[in-house]
Structure formats: C-alpha cells, structure tokens
Amino acid sequence: MKVMIYLFGPAGCGKLTIAKKICGLCPSLKLIHNHHVNNVILDIVNPDGKTKLPKYVWDNVALVRRVVLNTVKATDRNEGYIFTNVLSENCASDLAVYEEMRAVATAKHLAFCPVRLSIALDELCRRVVSPERVAMLKDISSDNARHYHETQIAMRPSDDHLEMDVTTLSPEESAGRIVDWAGSRTCAAGSRLGI
C-alpha cells in the first residue's frame, strides 16, 4: 500500500502493538515507531519511566526525528510507512511534528492516513505498567497516564482522519479496521492522481 499511516494517542494505548499487527497484514509497510526515534536519546539519559524528562531531551529527540524524516524523504523506498507518536491538542511542537509528517507523505506521494486512538482511563492505567514498556524505555507510570488523561487531549487534526476507541478492541481488530480505512484512502488518492 502506498500510504503513510500515522497512529497517535496517549502513551500506553497500544500504538506499537497495533502497528505490528498492521505490518502483519501489509508486510510492505515499514514501521518507524516513536521509540525508534526517542530511544537514540533516551538510552543515553537512562530514564526510569516515571520521572518527567528535561526539555533538552525532547529537543534532541526532535533533531533525531528530523534526520529520520529527511532520510525517509531522500530514499527511493516508496512502499509505505507506519509511524506512531503521542500528540497533544493545542501543543505547537506537536502540531509542527504532525505537519512535518504530512509534508513527508506528500513529498513521497503517499496517501496520508492519520489515526487518532483513544482509550478509557482505567484500561490505559492497566496497560501502561507492562514489563514490555520498561524494556522499550517507555513511560510506565499510571500516575503519569492519569495526569495526561486529565490535562491533555490527543490531537484532533483538521485532516480527514480515523477516530478509534481501542478500549475494548483487540490489536487485530484495530489493525483490520485501520487497514480497511487506509486502503479506501489509497484507492481515492489513486483515482485523484489518475492511477
């Protein structure tokens, strides 16, 4: 599929798990999840998964992301991508990241398929403390998840996007719905381009 699927939602909602299931359905897609980018820096500062990280860490993560996206733009690989991230509404830097992702999709002639994931707070708090998240240097604090849920709203882009509550959906169900939706967008983009 010639798409860029962009999964975003709160930490712990299952973005990476769903993205892996999508790759199982569409093996030509390349998965670049946010911790591919983040962990280049996080591995240096060795976070505990609970303490808020200083601004310079996220500034340096942004530099790594820019290098990754420049590489995606420069490569002749055009089969498609899946990216994951946590994006908050009314956050200028998150909006800039979103716009950068859309620009890369446009430059690569890929259908841009943003997917906003949401989840009930109790389920989020249950998932966020998993041992697998520790190994990936991810946030593992249910207190942080609760604070995010109470103070932040996952970005709602103005672009046509898919909204999906994953509270009761299995990763397989979520992946299937996303692939179906992205496939319909790919067909629509192809017809607009005369493909």
Side-chain angles (χ1 to χ4, degrees):
M1 266 201 292
K2 291 182 67 67
V3 298
M4 179 187 284
I5 297 174
Y6 193 21
L7 304 180
F8 53 93
C13 72
K15 296 180 295 292
L16 178 56
T17 303
I18 293 167
K20 287 178 177 178
K21 296 297 181 183
I22 292 171
C23 287
L25 297 171
C26 304
S28 66
L29 296 180
K30 176 74 174 169
L31 171 57
I32 304 174
H33 64 90
N34 56 318
H35 278 269
H36 273 139
V37 174
N38 299 358
N39 287 1
V40 172
I41 303 301
L42 296 184
D43 194 41
I44 296 169
V45 299
N46 197 26
D48 63 11
K50 297 178 181 179
T51 307
K52 184 175 179 173
L53 295 170
K55 182 179 181 302
Y56 80 85
V57 169
W58 299 114
D59 290 344
N60 288 327
V61 165
L63 294 174
V64 174
R65 182 185 310 105
R66 192 161 297 115
V67 170
V68 169
L69 292 178
N70 285 342
T71 304
V72 168
K73 282 195 292 192
T75 183
D76 60 2
R77 184 188 191 286
N78 282 313
E79 288 84 355
Y81 297 87
I82 304 173
F83 285 86
T84 67
N85 213 339
V86 174
L87 299 176
S88 296
E89 188 79 6
N90 301 321
C91 176
S93 60
D94 284 358
L95 179 59
V97 169
Y98 180 87
E99 296 293 340
E100 194 173 11
M101 297 298 293
R102 185 183 337 124
V104 170
T106 299
K108 298 292 287 182
H109 305 290
L110 300 171
F112 186 50
C113 301
V115 180
R116 180 183 186 269
L117 302 178
S118 60
I119 186 169
L121 178 58
D122 289 346
E123 180 63 11
L124 180 63
C125 289
R126 186 188 70 75
R127 291 184 191 184
V128 80
V129 296
S130 75
E132 295 83 14
R133 292 182 58 79
V134 174
M136 293 288 297
L137 303 179
K138 294 182 173 192
D139 191 320
I140 57 165
S141 167
S142 58
D143 288 340
N144 289 349
R146 190 172 302 281
H147 178 73
Y148 178 88
H149 193 271
E150 292 169 354
T151 62
Q152 302 291 319
I153 299 171
M155 180 182 289
R156 279 199 172 89
S158 58
D159 293 319
D160 182 28
H161 65 283
L162 178 62
E163 295 257 351
M164 183 176 298
D165 183 333
V166 296
T167 304
T168 60
L169 293 177
S170 70
E172 293 80 8
E173 290 171 308
S174 298
R177 290 182 188 187
I178 292 166
V179 167
D180 289 346
W181 179 75
S184 69
R185 289 181 56 83
T186 305
C187 293
S191 64
R192 283 196 306 273
L193 297 171
I195 297 172

